[in-house]
């Protein structure tokens, strides 16, 4: 085989040692163009959720496209600043911000803290006072909307740990009146991730309208509404939908969210921006058949490189690149594709129709640009997989 072509389009003359991540920067740029165009129609501001992927080359493309940053730790705030995101476009959420993280973010002069509890309001106020600053905050309100997604990535339900309960907003407001070093400028919401049914966002917009009206009736001026992230991608058919439906997503908010004159609307998108441009490339180490007749292909990537299938039962499309090069010559069979880690959950796919697979075959695990490399671990003392970038 002279050239190895990745499913998203890049090519290698010689394949590097596996496993590794491959990112298609051309697809990332086209995705960024789509998200900025569609958000731009309504004057919406988009912040990239760094938690999805912090590869510097990816961050560079994203900040060049003009997006802000959404961070959930002091480390992410520092990373966003180092990678060129202007401080006034950085938002900082997180249910457990430490004092040190808060102080650093105050010093960096970020756009807003998304505050997640009544106690956090007091802590930020005290730390701002200590530093002689006045800090802008948004209240992250848990709106009790249940999106259609995995329970581990749902965040806006009454029983979830995130945000200030919508039943506590009067207490939050009373507290804000007493605290002189913080100023409420926004309302923040995030109901969950990998949400494909846009009706969940319409439901969110309806709840936000009610909550914003409550604040307006109390005479509180809300300068910005932050709708969080959560737009899902097509894991089944990444080539059918390489760029998510940003047009439909923003239109849903435009049609359902009431925006007062002078108010800005913000979003925090992670997965929908970077998931489809990444793939995890791995090699088959062994094949074997169980006593029950099930066939396994054991590959050199595992849950250490991509934990999503083990953690959420997530589905990623897997392709045998070697078999597809030898077009039509390999019969279809049924395989489970598993990693080398000493955990029974270290299985990427169970009983899928897959071409006959041999030791040495190269596989691509698709749609792994978001929550892939960033969630990697060193379990079993494995080193982190390197990243390569295709730039057509
Ligand atoms: N804003 C906040 C406050 C969030 O908690 C998240 C994601 C986002 C924005 C970005 O959401 P996105 O647009 O990426 O859906 N590790 C899981 C996903 C966890 C998402 C956590 N929060 C996974 O692999 O599916």
């Amino acid at each position: 085989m002279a050239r190895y072509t990745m499913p998203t389009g890049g090519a290698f003359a010689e394949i590097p040692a596996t496993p590794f991540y491959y990112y298609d920067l051309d697809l990332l740029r086209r995705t960024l163009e789509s998200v900025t165009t569609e958000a731009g129609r309504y004057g919406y501001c988009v912040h990239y959720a760094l938690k999805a992927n912090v590869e510097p080359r990816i961050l560079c493309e994203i900040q060049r496209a003009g997006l802000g940053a959404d961070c959930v730790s002091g480390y992410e705030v520092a990373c966003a600043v180092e990678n060129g995101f202007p401080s006034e476009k950085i938002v900082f959420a997180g249910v457990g911000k430490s004092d040190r993280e808060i102080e650093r973010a105050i010093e960096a002069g970020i756009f807003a803290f998304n505050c997640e509890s009544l106690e956090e309001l007091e802590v930020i106020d005290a730390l701002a006072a200590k530093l002689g600053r006045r800090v802008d905050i948004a209240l992250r309100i848990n709106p009790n909307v249940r999106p259609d997604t995995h329970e581990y990535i749902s965040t806006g339900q009454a029983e979830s740990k995130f945000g200030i309960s919508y039943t506590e907003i009067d207490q939050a407001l009373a507290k804000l009146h007493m605290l002189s070093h913080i100023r409420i400028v926004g309302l923040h919401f995030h109901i969950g991730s990998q949400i494909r049914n846009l009706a969940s966002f319409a439901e969110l917009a309806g709840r936000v309208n009610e909550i914003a009206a409550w604040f307006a009736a109390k005479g509180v001026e809300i300068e910005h509404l932050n709708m969080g992230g959560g737009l899902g991608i097509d894991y089944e058919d990444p080539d059918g939908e390489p760029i998510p439906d940003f047009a439909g997503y923003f239109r849903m908010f435009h049609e359902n969210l009431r925006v007062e004159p002078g108010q800005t609307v913000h979003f925090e998108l992670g997965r929908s921006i970077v998931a489809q441009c990444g793939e995890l490339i791995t090699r088959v180490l062994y094949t074997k058949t169980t006593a029950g007749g099930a066939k396994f292909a054991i590959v050199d990537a595992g849950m250490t490189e991509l934990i999503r299938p083990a953690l959420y039962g997530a589905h990623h499309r897997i392709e045998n690149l070697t078999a597809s090069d030898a077009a039509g010559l390999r019969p279809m069979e049924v395989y489970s594709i598993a990693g080398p880690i000493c955990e029974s959950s270290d299985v990427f796919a169970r009983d899928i129709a897959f071409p006959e697979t041999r030791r040495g075959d190269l596989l691509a695990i698709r749609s792994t640009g978001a929550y892939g490399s960033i969630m990697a671990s060193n379990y079993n003392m494995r080193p982190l997989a390197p990243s390569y970038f295709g730039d057509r």
Side-chain angles (χ1 to χ4, degrees), residues 206-286:
R207 292 288 292 138
V208 174
N209 292 343
E210 290 168 21
I211 294 167
W214 184 89
F215 279 94
K218 299 278 176 193
V220 181
E221 194 196 332
I222 299 295
E223 296 170 15
H224 79 256
L225 299 172
N226 183 336
M227 299 293 110
L231 176 62
I233 62 138
D234 192 345
Y235 281 101
E236 304 287 331
D237 185 12
D239 296 322
E241 194 187 288
I243 299 177
D245 181 17
F246 294 116
Y249 174 71
F250 291 119
R251 193 183 321 115
M252 186 60 93
F253 283 99
H254 178 67
E255 286 169 0
N256 292 282
L257 182 69
R258 201 168 46 239
V259 182
E260 300 301 331
Q263 229 169 29
T264 55
V265 182
H266 297 245
F267 293 86
E268 304 167 342
L269 294 172
R271 185 190 320 265
S272 51
I273 293 174
V274 292
Q276 296 295 32
C277 77
E279 37 194 306
L280 174 59
I281 307 298
T282 180
R283 234 179 239 291
V284 176
L285 293 173
Y286 302 101

Side-chain angles (χ1 to χ4, degrees), residues 88-204:
E88 65 276 10
K89 284 190 181 176
I90 298 177
V91 290
F92 182 14
V95 72
K97 303 177 190 76
S98 71
D99 291 15
R100 189 175 161 77
E101 288 177 306
I102 294 169
E103 283 178 351
R104 287 282 175 84
I106 293 175
E107 282 161 358
I110 63 168
F111 174 65
F113 286 83
N114 293 332
C115 294
E116 307 224 10
S117 66
L118 300 183
E119 219 170 15
E120 186 189 331
L121 295 175
E122 291 175 3
V123 171
I124 296 183
D125 184 75
L127 294 172
K130 193 173 103 186
L131 296 172
R133 302 280 278 269
R134 191 146 187 262
V135 171
D136 288 346
I137 63 118
L139 292 180
R140 175 172 180 175
I141 296 171
N142 182 325
N144 196 21
V145 171
R146 188 173 297 278
D148 184 10
T149 190
H150 193 284
E151 62 167 315
Y152 286 7
I153 52 176
S154 293
T155 50
Q157 303 67 51
E159 64 278 12
S160 135
K161 71 174 178 177
F162 297 100
I164 295 172
S165 165
Y166 67 97
T167 56
E168 272 181 342
I169 53 178
D170 46 353
Q171 287 176 58
L173 190 56
K175 198 168 279 296
L176 282 165
H177 285 315
M178 289 158 48
L179 301 172
S180 54
H181 291 84
I182 56 178
R183 181 174 81 101
I184 176 171
V185 293
L187 299 177
H188 172 238
F189 304 85
H190 174 74
I191 55 173
S193 196
Q194 183 51 18
I195 300 168
R196 298 274 290 161
N197 182 351
L198 296 181
S200 297
F201 296 115
E203 191 184 340
L204 168 64

Side-chain angles (χ1 to χ4, degrees), residues 21-42:
Y21 274 94
Y22 170 78
Y23 297 101
D24 179 349
L25 294 180
D26 182 58
L27 177 55
L28 173 62
R29 285 184 200 119
R30 285 185 286 124
T31 307
L32 287 166
E33 199 177 309
S34 172
V35 72
T36 50
T37 304
E38 298 304 334
R41 286 187 205 288
Y42 313 109

Side-chain angles (χ1 to χ4, degrees), residues 38 64 84 334 349 360:
E38 298 304 334
R64 263 201 224 151
V334 174

